[in-house]
Amino acid sequence: MAKTAVIEAHGGPEQFQIVDRVVGDPGPGEIRIAHKAIGLNFIDVYQRTGLYPMELPHALGMEAAGVIEAIGEGVTHLVVGDRAAYAATPPGAYCEARVMPAAQVVKLPDEVPFDVAAAMMLKGLTTEYLFHRTTPLSAGDTVLFQAAAGGVGLIACQWAKSEGITLIGTAGGPEKCQLALDHGAAHCIDYKAEDFVPIVCGLTHGAGVDVVMDAVGKDTFDGSLDCLKPLGMFISFGNASGPVPPLNIGTLGQKGSLKITRPTLFTHISDPDILRAMADRLFAKVISGDVTLRIDQRFKLDDIADAHRALEARQTTGSTVIEL
């Protein structure tokens, strides 16, 4: 039996129930993992509220780290006793142990602690595809990153600096702006006090940025487009303020032949070989010290509803982990 946080209906954090579930043995292509730490992400909120509908009842949670307890037939890249980590579908990480597909689980280097791995897999792999797999980026380019003090944002600030990319961030309040600056952002704009569009225009001497990376959604969409240089790329990878409203595609031509994409991590990691290459790059960044994970909030599994309340209220910085 394994303690598990499940929901039986979409809604607020009060929907969580803590239950004991039978774990069972892995079938072909599966593993059983005993979790040591679990990550918390905004996609968990989207699934809980029903923005991303799912069949219920269901456990939530998309990333965790732990130890492999058993492997099914055909699994060759992991063995019993391996330290392992994942960002994976289907959801179900909010538990003490689970059986799951092995393809999206990777071996965890000894140099990376369990809590760090749980805090970084989804956010770190997201950063990897933003900088390496969505549109060409190289040293000297400029990126506008919305919500630079969040979990992905603080990794992105460091990632950009390590590769010679200028990152202009936005964040809510002077403390969060300073946090982004401390992690490598070249500039950070307090969106609660200032209009970020003219400031970005000034910082880029009127040219605009090469790429916008935006997980905020509705509240920043129009302004983000106005910050792009002609032929620039807008990457929408989240909806923290709500979904982006319908777009007249002609607007992109009027604003300078802009490009727009809405990628997901799980498209990229559906190929196990690509996933392992992405994970290797992420682990190398962490082991080298180019990227350090800031874990500012820790909760117990019994308190998962409180963790969701804090995340939705934007009371968190850096990463949040659920400890077991």
Side-chain angles (χ1 to χ4, degrees):
M1 303 295 283
K3 183 185 293 185
T4 307
V6 301
I7 60 169
E8 294 185 350
H10 292 301
E14 71 279 357
Q15 295 294 338
F16 280 112
Q17 300 179 41
I18 306 298
V19 300
D20 287 324
R21 281 187 164 182
V22 175
V23 180
D25 295 319
E30 295 181 330
I31 55 93
R32 186 173 72 233
I33 183 170
H35 290 151
K36 301 294 186 181
I38 303 160
L40 182 75
N41 298 280
F42 236 102
I43 191 173
D44 306 350
V45 174
Y46 302 154
Q47 290 168 345
R48 192 204 73 228
T49 61
L51 179 63
Y52 294 174
M54 58 195 302
E55 188 174 335
L56 301 177
H58 212 297
L60 299 186
M62 306 296 286
E63 68 177 343
V67 176
I68 302 298
E69 289 189 325
I71 62 171
E73 181 182 352
V75 176
T76 58
H77 68 290
L78 296 165
V79 299
V80 172
D82 274 350
R83 304 171 77 252
Y86 65 85
T89 56
Y94 290 179
C95 62
E96 292 175 326
R98 68 185 294 200
V99 169
M100 63 181 294
Q104 292 180 322
V105 182
V106 298
K107 188 173 180 179
L108 181 66
D110 291 340
E111 298 93 330
V112 182
F114 288 118
D115 60 346
V116 172
M120 79 179 187
M121 289 301 292
L122 194 147
K123 293 176 279 289
L125 292 173
T126 295
T127 305
E128 200 276 352
Y129 86 66
L130 288 172
F131 280 86
H132 292 277
R133 299 176 190 276
T134 308
T135 192
L137 275 168
S138 57
D141 287 342
T142 302
V143 168
L144 172 62
F145 197 100
Q146 302 285 10
V152 178
L154 292 184
I155 297 174
C157 290
Q158 298 172 80
W159 202 291
K161 184 177 181 180
S162 74
E163 301 198 348
I165 295 167
T166 298
L167 186 145
I168 301 170
T170 67
E175 291 183 359
K176 287 191 174 184
C177 283
Q178 188 60 51
L179 194 56
L181 293 169
D182 291 344
H183 281 74
H187 311 276
C188 195
I189 303 159
D190 180 356
Y191 66 78
K192 289 184 176 180
E194 301 175 291
D195 181 354
F196 64 85
V197 176
I199 298 175
V200 171
C201 182
L203 290 171
T204 59
H205 306 291
V209 300
D210 298 282
V211 177
V212 173
M213 300 175 180
D214 191 329
V216 176
K218 176 174 65 70
D219 289 353
T220 53
F221 179 69
D222 291 334
S224 290
L225 291 184
D226 289 337
C227 290
L228 282 166
K229 64 174 53 173
L231 304 178
M233 170 66 83
F234 178 89
I235 306 173
S236 172
F237 68 102
N239 316 276
S241 66
V244 171
L247 170 70
N248 177 352
I249 198 167
T251 301
L252 302 179
Q254 296 164 8
K255 291 182 179 290
S257 301
L258 305 180
K259 294 165 283 188
I260 188 167
T261 184
R262 204 328 181 170
T264 72
L265 171 63
F266 299 106
T267 304
H268 288 282
I269 66 174
S270 61
D271 183 325
D273 291 332
I274 292 176
L275 164 61
R276 289 166 204 163
M278 292 172 67
D280 286 346
R281 181 178 273 129
L282 172 61
F283 294 150
K285 289 280 188 186
V286 172
I287 292 169
S288 70
D290 282 343
V291 170
T292 59
L293 269 292
R294 181 180 174 123
I295 301 173
D296 287 345
Q297 299 80 214
R298 298 176 186 267
F299 293 86
K300 296 298 184 183
L301 188 57
D302 288 334
D303 300 319
I304 189 66
D306 290 335
H308 271 237
R309 291 185 184 100
L311 184 62
E312 283 186 280
R314 301 193 185 186
Q315 294 172 347
T316 65
T317 52
S319 296
T320 300
V321 297
I322 312 303
E323 297 179 314
L324 297 166

